[in-house]
Amino acid sequence: MAITFNPSTKIIQLDSASVSVAEIWSRWVDWYATSDNCKYLPAMRVIGGNQVQGSIYIPSYFYLLDGWRIRPMESNHNLEIEGNVVVDGGGDPIANTVGTYQINVRFTVPVQAQLVSNIPTAQQNAAAFLAATVENSLTFEEMFRIQHSALAGKVTGAGTATERFRSIADDKDRLVVTVDANGNRTAITQDGSA
């Protein structure tokens, strides 16, 4: 399969109905290193592909840069593109054909988590705890028991997207601290009573 690169039109021209983005990347790297093609701004960049453990890798994302687009071959067909390809800054990575052809494009991408939001960081939890501690004038002993209980795995109530930190119990009594998703303390009680 030949994949060609035209720096004047910023088109990556395909000549088949099936291609992987990794293959386009590989051909572009070869093209860029040939002759004096490196005088042009890069057409692509990639992130990911790092090994997590064993044979598990972070999926690669390929970004088209500086106005570059992928053009399907000039014929009616179903184009299948395997991998994650996006346009840096947004937009459609696929350019129209020159002729009036019917092209159906299907992207096949690996299954993975895309975004996890509202998960507090350790710093956010610590700040919320400190704010609750100061506001409620907890004693050093109470703070120590809370910290010891947390380290001993006695934290209960994992919370939801709107609750970060629900309750900590120790052997002596129960201290409940509730903090919303923005890190604001909403309640603090001892012995589980309001």
Side-chain angles (χ1 to χ4, degrees), residues 34-48:
T34 304
S35 185
D36 66 343
N37 290 334
C38 64
K39 68 184 176 188
Y40 302 107
L41 291 174
M44 302 176 79
R45 71 179 169 94
V46 62
I47 61 170

mmCIF file with all atom_site columns, all heavy atoms in Angstrom, residues 34-48:
data_model
loop_
_atom_site.group_PDB
_atom_site.id
_atom_site.type_symbol
_atom_site.label_atom_id
_atom_site.label_alt_id
_atom_site.label_comp_id
_atom_site.label_asym_id
_atom_site.label_entity_id
_atom_site.label_seq_id
_atom_site.pdbx_PDB_ins_code
_atom_site.Cartn_x
_atom_site.Cartn_y
_atom_site.Cartn_z
_atom_site.occupancy
_atom_site.B_iso_or_equiv
_atom_site.pdbx_formal_charge
_atom_site.auth_seq_id
_atom_site.auth_comp_id
_atom_site.auth_asym_id
_atom_site.auth_atom_id
_atom_site.pdbx_PDB_model_num
ATOM 1   N N   . THR A 1 34 ? 13.241 11.535 4.619  1.00 0.00 ? 34 THR A N   1
ATOM 2   C CA  . THR A 1 34 ? 13.758 11.406 3.266  1.00 0.00 ? 34 THR A CA  1
ATOM 3   C C   . THR A 1 34 ? 14.032 12.784 2.670  1.00 0.00 ? 34 THR A C   1
ATOM 4   O O   . THR A 1 34 ? 13.276 13.734 2.875  1.00 0.00 ? 34 THR A O   1
ATOM 5   C CB  . THR A 1 34 ? 12.729 10.664 2.376  1.00 0.00 ? 34 THR A CB  1
ATOM 6   O OG1 . THR A 1 34 ? 12.436 9.406  2.972  1.00 0.00 ? 34 THR A OG1 1
ATOM 7   C CG2 . THR A 1 34 ? 13.248 10.455 0.974  1.00 0.00 ? 34 THR A CG2 1
ATOM 8   N N   . SER A 1 35 ? 15.125 12.857 1.925  1.00 0.00 ? 35 SER A N   1
ATOM 9   C CA  . SER A 1 35 ? 15.495 14.068 1.197  1.00 0.00 ? 35 SER A CA  1
ATOM 10  C C   . SER A 1 35 ? 15.506 15.259 2.157  1.00 0.00 ? 35 SER A C   1
ATOM 11  O O   . SER A 1 35 ? 16.077 15.198 3.225  1.00 0.00 ? 35 SER A O   1
ATOM 12  C CB  . SER A 1 35 ? 14.531 14.276 0.018  1.00 0.00 ? 35 SER A CB  1
ATOM 13  O OG  . SER A 1 35 ? 14.928 15.365 -0.761 1.00 0.00 ? 35 SER A OG  1
ATOM 14  N N   . ASP A 1 36 ? 14.840 16.345 1.757  1.00 0.00 ? 36 ASP A N   1
ATOM 15  C CA  . ASP A 1 36 ? 14.799 17.532 2.620  1.00 0.00 ? 36 ASP A CA  1
ATOM 16  C C   . ASP A 1 36 ? 13.383 17.788 3.135  1.00 0.00 ? 36 ASP A C   1
ATOM 17  O O   . ASP A 1 36 ? 13.006 18.916 3.408  1.00 0.00 ? 36 ASP A O   1
ATOM 18  C CB  . ASP A 1 36 ? 15.343 18.751 1.865  1.00 0.00 ? 36 ASP A CB  1
ATOM 19  C CG  . ASP A 1 36 ? 14.466 19.160 0.685  1.00 0.00 ? 36 ASP A CG  1
ATOM 20  O OD1 . ASP A 1 36 ? 13.634 18.338 0.251  1.00 0.00 ? 36 ASP A OD1 1
ATOM 21  O OD2 . ASP A 1 36 ? 14.615 20.295 0.207  1.00 0.00 ? 36 ASP A OD2 1
ATOM 22  N N   . ASN A 1 37 ? 12.585 16.724 3.287  1.00 0.00 ? 37 ASN A N   1
ATOM 23  C CA  . ASN A 1 37 ? 11.200 16.877 3.745  1.00 0.00 ? 37 ASN A CA  1
ATOM 24  C C   . ASN A 1 37 ? 11.091 17.430 5.161  1.00 0.00 ? 37 ASN A C   1
ATOM 25  O O   . ASN A 1 37 ? 10.038 17.940 5.545  1.00 0.00 ? 37 ASN A O   1
ATOM 26  C CB  . ASN A 1 37 ? 10.457 15.542 3.651  1.00 0.00 ? 37 ASN A CB  1
ATOM 27  C CG  . ASN A 1 37 ? 10.218 15.138 2.215  1.00 0.00 ? 37 ASN A CG  1
ATOM 28  O OD1 . ASN A 1 37 ? 10.143 15.983 1.324  1.00 0.00 ? 37 ASN A OD1 1
ATOM 29  N ND2 . ASN A 1 37 ? 10.118 13.844 1.979  1.00 0.00 ? 37 ASN A ND2 1
ATOM 30  N N   . CYS A 1 38 ? 12.168 17.360 5.931  1.00 0.00 ? 38 CYS A N   1
ATOM 31  C CA  . CYS A 1 38 ? 12.119 17.903 7.290  1.00 0.00 ? 38 CYS A CA  1
ATOM 32  C C   . CYS A 1 38 ? 12.093 19.435 7.296  1.00 0.00 ? 38 CYS A C   1
ATOM 33  O O   . CYS A 1 38 ? 11.952 20.041 8.360  1.00 0.00 ? 38 CYS A O   1
ATOM 34  C CB  . CYS A 1 38 ? 13.263 17.370 8.137  1.00 0.00 ? 38 CYS A CB  1
ATOM 35  S SG  . CYS A 1 38 ? 14.882 17.853 7.552  1.00 0.00 ? 38 CYS A SG  1
ATOM 36  N N   . LYS A 1 39 ? 12.169 20.063 6.126  1.00 0.00 ? 39 LYS A N   1
ATOM 37  C CA  . LYS A 1 39 ? 12.042 21.520 6.070  1.00 0.00 ? 39 LYS A CA  1
ATOM 38  C C   . LYS A 1 39 ? 10.593 21.956 6.313  1.00 0.00 ? 39 LYS A C   1
ATOM 39  O O   . LYS A 1 39 ? 10.327 23.109 6.613  1.00 0.00 ? 39 LYS A O   1
ATOM 40  C CB  . LYS A 1 39 ? 12.542 22.066 4.729  1.00 0.00 ? 39 LYS A CB  1
ATOM 41  C CG  . LYS A 1 39 ? 11.677 21.674 3.534  1.00 0.00 ? 39 LYS A CG  1
ATOM 42  C CD  . LYS A 1 39 ? 12.268 22.168 2.231  1.00 0.00 ? 39 LYS A CD  1
ATOM 43  C CE  . LYS A 1 39 ? 11.452 21.689 1.043  1.00 0.00 ? 39 LYS A CE  1
ATOM 44  N NZ  . LYS A 1 39 ? 12.096 21.986 -0.214 1.00 0.00 ? 39 LYS A NZ  1
ATOM 45  N N   . TYR A 1 40 ? 9.651  20.985 6.179  1.00 0.00 ? 40 TYR A N   1
ATOM 46  C CA  . TYR A 1 40 ? 8.236  21.278 6.414  1.00 0.00 ? 40 TYR A CA  1
ATOM 47  C C   . TYR A 1 40 ? 7.905  21.071 7.888  1.00 0.00 ? 40 TYR A C   1
ATOM 48  O O   . TYR A 1 40 ? 8.539  20.281 8.571  1.00 0.00 ? 40 TYR A O   1
ATOM 49  C CB  . TYR A 1 40 ? 7.348  20.363 5.566  1.00 0.00 ? 40 TYR A CB  1
ATOM 50  C CG  . TYR A 1 40 ? 7.612  20.481 4.090  1.00 0.00 ? 40 TYR A CG  1
ATOM 51  C CD1 . TYR A 1 40 ? 8.278  19.476 3.410  1.00 0.00 ? 40 TYR A CD1 1
ATOM 52  C CD2 . TYR A 1 40 ? 7.216  21.612 3.385  1.00 0.00 ? 40 TYR A CD2 1
ATOM 53  C CE1 . TYR A 1 40 ? 8.541  19.576 2.053  1.00 0.00 ? 40 TYR A CE1 1
ATOM 54  C CE2 . TYR A 1 40 ? 7.480  21.731 2.023  1.00 0.00 ? 40 TYR A CE2 1
ATOM 55  C CZ  . TYR A 1 40 ? 8.140  20.714 1.368  1.00 0.00 ? 40 TYR A CZ  1
ATOM 56  O OH  . TYR A 1 40 ? 8.403  20.827 0.033  1.00 0.00 ? 40 TYR A OH  1
ATOM 57  N N   . LEU A 1 41 ? 6.887  21.787 8.343  1.00 0.00 ? 41 LEU A N   1
ATOM 58  C CA  . LEU A 1 41 ? 6.419  21.569 9.711  1.00 0.00 ? 41 LEU A CA  1
ATOM 59  C C   . LEU A 1 41 ? 5.894  20.137 9.827  1.00 0.00 ? 41 LEU A C   1
ATOM 60  O O   . LEU A 1 41 ? 5.357  19.586 8.864  1.00 0.00 ? 41 LEU A O   1
ATOM 61  C CB  . LEU A 1 41 ? 5.312  22.561 10.062 1.00 0.00 ? 41 LEU A CB  1
ATOM 62  C CG  . LEU A 1 41 ? 5.741  24.017 10.196 1.00 0.00 ? 41 LEU A CG  1
ATOM 63  C CD1 . LEU A 1 41 ? 4.525  24.914 10.408 1.00 0.00 ? 41 LEU A CD1 1
ATOM 64  C CD2 . LEU A 1 41 ? 6.718  24.171 11.356 1.00 0.00 ? 41 LEU A CD2 1
ATOM 65  N N   . PRO A 1 42 ? 6.021  19.524 10.992 1.00 0.00 ? 42 PRO A N   1
ATOM 66  C CA  . PRO A 1 42 ? 5.537  18.149 11.165 1.00 0.00 ? 42 PRO A CA  1
ATOM 67  C C   . PRO A 1 42 ? 4.042  18.027 10.862 1.00 0.00 ? 42 PRO A C   1
ATOM 68  O O   . PRO A 1 42 ? 3.254  18.917 11.187 1.00 0.00 ? 42 PRO A O   1
ATOM 69  C CB  . PRO A 1 42 ? 5.815  17.852 12.635 1.00 0.00 ? 42 PRO A CB  1
ATOM 70  C CG  . PRO A 1 42 ? 6.901  18.794 13.025 1.00 0.00 ? 42 PRO A CG  1
ATOM 71  C CD  . PRO A 1 42 ? 6.675  20.030 12.202 1.00 0.00 ? 42 PRO A CD  1
ATOM 72  N N   . ALA A 1 43 ? 3.674  16.908 10.270 1.00 0.00 ? 43 ALA A N   1
ATOM 73  C CA  . ALA A 1 43 ? 2.273  16.628 9.953  1.00 0.00 ? 43 ALA A CA  1
ATOM 74  C C   . ALA A 1 43 ? 1.569  15.948 11.113 1.00 0.00 ? 43 ALA A C   1
ATOM 75  O O   . ALA A 1 43 ? 0.349  16.027 11.234 1.00 0.00 ? 43 ALA A O   1
ATOM 76  C CB  . ALA A 1 43 ? 2.185  15.740 8.717  1.00 0.00 ? 43 ALA A CB  1
ATOM 77  N N   . MET A 1 44 ? 2.337  15.261 11.958 1.00 0.00 ? 44 MET A N   1
ATOM 78  C CA  . MET A 1 44 ? 1.737  14.469 13.025 1.00 0.00 ? 44 MET A CA  1
ATOM 79  C C   . MET A 1 44 ? 2.600  14.487 14.278 1.00 0.00 ? 44 MET A C   1
ATOM 80  O O   . MET A 1 44 ? 3.791  14.743 14.210 1.00 0.00 ? 44 MET A O   1
ATOM 81  C CB  . MET A 1 44 ? 1.586  13.005 12.575 1.00 0.00 ? 44 MET A CB  1
ATOM 82  C CG  . MET A 1 44 ? 0.761  12.790 11.336 1.00 0.00 ? 44 MET A CG  1
ATOM 83  S SD  . MET A 1 44 ? 0.732  11.044 10.832 1.00 0.00 ? 44 MET A SD  1
ATOM 84  C CE  . MET A 1 44 ? -0.468 10.397 11.988 1.00 0.00 ? 44 MET A CE  1
ATOM 85  N N   . ARG A 1 45 ? 1.950  14.161 15.375 1.00 0.00 ? 45 ARG A N   1
ATOM 86  C CA  . ARG A 1 45 ? 2.640  13.857 16.622 1.00 0.00 ? 45 ARG A CA  1
ATOM 87  C C   . ARG A 1 45 ? 1.857  12.745 17.296 1.00 0.00 ? 45 ARG A C   1
ATOM 88  O O   . ARG A 1 45 ? 0.689  12.525 16.994 1.00 0.00 ? 45 ARG A O   1
ATOM 89  C CB  . ARG A 1 45 ? 2.789  15.064 17.529 1.00 0.00 ? 45 ARG A CB  1
ATOM 90  C CG  . ARG A 1 45 ? 1.516  15.558 18.176 1.00 0.00 ? 45 ARG A CG  1
ATOM 91  C CD  . ARG A 1 45 ? 1.795  16.762 19.098 1.00 0.00 ? 45 ARG A CD  1
ATOM 92  N NE  . ARG A 1 45 ? 0.567  17.398 19.507 1.00 0.00 ? 45 ARG A NE  1
ATOM 93  C CZ  . ARG A 1 45 ? -0.078 17.106 20.640 1.00 0.00 ? 45 ARG A CZ  1
ATOM 94  N NH1 . ARG A 1 45 ? 0.408  16.207 21.460 1.00 0.00 ? 45 ARG A NH1 1
ATOM 95  N NH2 . ARG A 1 45 ? -1.195 17.718 20.952 1.00 0.00 ? 45 ARG A NH2 1
ATOM 96  N N   . VAL A 1 46 ? 2.512  12.054 18.213 1.00 0.00 ? 46 VAL A N   1
ATOM 97  C CA  . VAL A 1 46 ? 1.867  10.930 18.885 1.00 0.00 ? 46 VAL A CA  1
ATOM 98  C C   . VAL A 1 46 ? 2.134  11.016 20.378 1.00 0.00 ? 46 VAL A C   1
ATOM 99  O O   . VAL A 1 46 ? 3.205  11.457 20.803 1.00 0.00 ? 46 VAL A O   1
ATOM 100 C CB  . VAL A 1 46 ? 2.357  9.576  18.306 1.00 0.00 ? 46 VAL A CB  1
ATOM 101 C CG1 . VAL A 1 46 ? 3.841  9.384  18.528 1.00 0.00 ? 46 VAL A CG1 1
ATOM 102 C CG2 . VAL A 1 46 ? 1.573  8.404  18.883 1.00 0.00 ? 46 VAL A CG2 1
ATOM 103 N N   . ILE A 1 47 ? 1.123  10.631 21.157 1.00 0.00 ? 47 ILE A N   1
ATOM 104 C CA  . ILE A 1 47 ? 1.298  10.461 22.596 1.00 0.00 ? 47 ILE A CA  1
ATOM 105 C C   . ILE A 1 47 ? 0.808  9.060  22.944 1.00 0.00 ? 47 ILE A C   1
ATOM 106 O O   . ILE A 1 47 ? 0.030  8.464  22.206 1.00 0.00 ? 47 ILE A O   1
ATOM 107 C CB  . ILE A 1 47 ? 0.550  11.523 23.429 1.00 0.00 ? 47 ILE A CB  1
ATOM 108 C CG1 . ILE A 1 47 ? -0.957 11.458 23.192 1.00 0.00 ? 47 ILE A CG1 1
ATOM 109 C CG2 . ILE A 1 47 ? 1.079  12.907 23.143 1.00 0.00 ? 47 ILE A CG2 1
ATOM 110 C CD1 . ILE A 1 47 ? -1.755 12.302 24.159 1.00 0.00 ? 47 ILE A CD1 1
ATOM 111 N N   . GLY A 1 48 ? 1.285  8.539  24.066 1.00 0.00 ? 48 GLY A N   1
ATOM 112 C CA  . GLY A 1 48 ? 0.872  7.195  24.480 1.00 0.00 ? 48 GLY A CA  1
ATOM 113 C C   . GLY A 1 48 ? 1.824  6.153  23.945 1.00 0.00 ? 48 GLY A C   1
ATOM 114 O O   . GLY A 1 48 ? 2.936  6.442  23.528 1.00 0.00 ? 48 GLY A O   1
#
